Amino acid sequence: MTLGRFDVCHGDADGMCAVRQWRLHAPAAATLVTGAKRDIALLHRVPVRKAKEVLVCDLSLQRNHEALLRLLEAGVTVRWFDHHVSPLVPVHSLLHARIDPSPQVCTSLLMDEALDGQFRAWALVGAYGDNLLERAEALGRAAGFDSAYLSGLQQLGEAITYNACSARIEDGCVNPHEVYRRLSVSVDPVRVLERDPALRRLVRLRREDLARAESWPALAQSVDGRVTVLPDETWCRRVAGALADHLLCASPAQAQAVLLMQPDDTLRVSVRAGRSAVLAADLEGADVLCSRFGGGGRRMAAGIDRLPLMQRDRFVRAFEAWAQGSAGQSPPAAPQVHAPEHPAQAQASARDRGRDTVDEDV
C-alpha cells in the first residue's frame, strides 16, 4: 500500500538518485512516476484524488506549474528538489521547495545537502550522471572513497542517464521503472552495479555507442563550437545525449550541439555550453539559446524536443554566434568549417532544399 505517496522524477541518474536518497532517509511505500529524460511534464500523471504526499525531484517547476497548483489546491503536501530555473515558485504552506539553478549543482547534490551527506555515494551517482565530474570527484575524495569505488559510481551514473535518453525497450534500453527497482536492491550503488547484469550491459552499450559516435563527422566545427547531426537509428537514439557530454569532456572550451533526426522530420537537440561560460556570467546560457527555438533547460545544458528540419540551418547559425560569445549579433553567413556530409546528413540536406526555409537572424 502506497497510502497516497508518489515519487516523481524523470529517468536519468540525477532524478532517480535524488529519490533513492530520500527513500533511504524516509523509508515508505510510494508509487513511482517516471519516464525518459525528455519526459518533463510528469506531474500531471499523479492522480489528484489519490495523492496525499508527493516528492518531486529534478523536474522543471515551470513546466509542471499548473499540475502543482492543482495538487496544492487539493490539500496535497509537495516536496520539490530541483536545479532548473523556476521563476514561478508558488508560496504555499504545503509546498516545501529546494531549488538552486547554480551551474555546479544538480538535484542529487541538493538532496545530499538536505540530508547532511547521509547517502553521499548515491548523490555522486547522480552528479556523475549529470556530468559534474570534477564536483563529484572532489566530494568523493572528501568522503574517503578510493579511485576504484568512484569509477563504479561514475559508470553507474553515466549508464542510467544514457539509458534515459531513449528509454525505449525496442532500442535495447531498460524501462526507467525497472531501473529504479534494480537500484533499490542495495544501499551500496557499486554493489548494485556489480551484481546486476542488465546495468552492466548498459555500461557496455554506452561505451560501444560512444566509440562509434566519436568517428561521426561534424556538420560544422570551429574552435568555439561543434555541431553533430545523427540519423534516426537505434544506437543514435541511445547515445545522442551522452555524446554531447562526452565531446564536452574531450574539448571543455568547445560548446557542443548534437542534433538527432526523428521520424516526424524534426530534430531532437542537445546543447552543452563550453566550460569558459562558467566563468563568464555576462554570456547567455544554453537555456536562452534553446528557448528561442521552443526549448529550455539550464545555463550549461539545454535542449529542444522538436526542432523543425527546415530550421536546422537557422539553429546552426545561432549556435555558432552563441558559441563565439556573440549571441544577439548577426550570425556568420556560413559555418567556418564543414566536414564532408555523411550520407544521412546529405539526405537531410536534400529534404531541407525541398522546403521553404526560415532565414531570420536569431
Side-chain angles (χ1 to χ4, degrees):
M1 295 290 291
T2 61
L3 299 176
R5 297 188 194 91
F6 292 84
D7 294 340
V8 187
C9 66
H10 54 57
D12 74 350
D14 192 26
M16 289 274 191
C17 292
V19 171
R20 182 76 180 113
Q21 289 176 79
W22 182 262
R23 285 300 159 212
L24 286 169
H25 162 73
T31 299
L32 180 67
V33 177
T34 188
K37 187 172 175 63
R38 297 278 172 164
D39 292 337
I40 299 172
L42 288 173
L43 200 57
H44 74 278
R45 299 184 188 177
V46 176
V48 176
R49 292 184 179 180
K50 294 182 179 180
K52 294 182 179 179
E53 300 175 10
V54 177
L55 171 68
V56 182
C57 293
D58 200 30
L59 287 186
S60 167
L61 194 151
Q62 187 171 2
R63 293 282 292 271
N64 292 274
H65 190 257
E66 291 185 7
L68 170 61
L69 292 180
R70 286 196 294 271
L71 289 170
L72 294 175
E73 290 169 0
V76 179
T77 298
V78 180
R79 298 181 187 277
W80 202 296
F81 294 83
D82 185 42
H83 63 145
H84 298 90
V85 175
S86 302
L88 301 173
V89 181
V91 177
H92 197 288
S93 61
L94 294 177
L95 175 63
H96 308 280
R98 196 182 188 105
I99 299 173
D100 183 352
S102 302
Q104 293 301 304
V105 170
C106 66
T107 306
S108 282
L109 293 182
L110 286 176
M111 185 66 79
D112 178 70
E113 183 180 79
L115 301 181
D116 297 323
Q118 293 180 62
F119 311 104
R120 176 63 51 82
W122 285 104
L124 299 187
V125 174
Y128 277 123
D130 244 30
N131 206 36
L132 297 179
L133 307 186
E134 294 178 0
R135 184 84 192 280
E137 183 81 12
L139 288 171
R141 294 295 182 187
F145 299 150
D146 62 25
S147 297
Y149 192 78
L150 289 175
S151 177
L153 298 179
Q154 181 174 356
Q155 289 180 54
L156 181 58
E158 291 175 343
I160 297 169
T161 296
Y162 157 85
N163 180 76
C165 286
S166 170
R168 292 167 54 169
I169 296 175
E170 59 267 34
D171 286 345
C173 296
V174 181
N175 184 289
H177 287 87
E178 177 65 12
V179 170
Y180 187 81
R181 187 192 68 78
R182 291 172 179 273
L183 297 179
S184 301
V185 301
S186 174
V187 175
D188 183 351
V190 172
R191 180 170 295 183
V192 169
L193 179 61
E194 291 172 345
R195 296 182 175 182
D196 195 307
L199 295 177
R200 292 199 305 275
R201 175 180 166 276
L202 290 177
V203 173
R204 186 184 72 253
L205 266 181
R206 178 182 179 275
R207 185 183 303 119
E208 293 171 353
D209 286 348
L210 283 174
R212 187 174 181 180
E214 282 178 339
S215 62
W216 202 263
L219 173 69
Q221 182 167 251
S222 72
V223 67
D224 300 303
R226 172 189 169 110
V227 179
T228 305
V229 181
L230 299 175
D232 181 28
E233 296 181 9
T234 297
W235 71 275
C236 296
R237 290 192 295 270
R238 292 195 304 251
V239 83
L243 179 59
D245 289 333
H246 183 74
L247 292 173
L248 182 64
C249 289
S251 301
Q254 186 184 55
Q256 301 294 331
V258 175
L259 284 61
L260 174 68
M261 287 296 306
Q262 300 187 108
D264 60 354
D265 278 349
T266 64
L267 296 151
R268 195 180 82 193
V269 181
S270 298
V271 175
R272 302 294 183 267
R275 294 305 190 205
S276 58
V278 176
L279 305 176
D282 58 325
L283 295 181
E284 291 181 343
D287 54 337
V288 176
L289 170 68
C290 291
S291 69
R292 297 175 182 172
F293 296 86
R298 296 179 290 113
R299 176 176 173 77
M300 301 304 296
I304 306 166
D305 289 337
R306 285 182 169 79
L307 176 72
L309 189 58
M310 67 179 66
Q311 293 189 28
R312 188 195 70 178
D313 291 344
R314 176 186 170 213
F315 170 81
V316 170
R317 292 195 299 272
F319 171 81
E320 290 180 316
W322 169 76
Q324 294 165 8
S326 57
Q329 299 179 17
S330 297
Q336 291 186 359
V337 179
H338 282 282
E341 284 189 322
H342 184 276
Q345 295 175 346
Q347 183 180 10
S349 296
R351 280 185 294 203
D352 273 352
R353 288 191 288 272
R355 299 172 181 268
D356 294 331
T357 57
V358 180
D359 217 7
E360 303 169 359
D361 289 341
V362 178

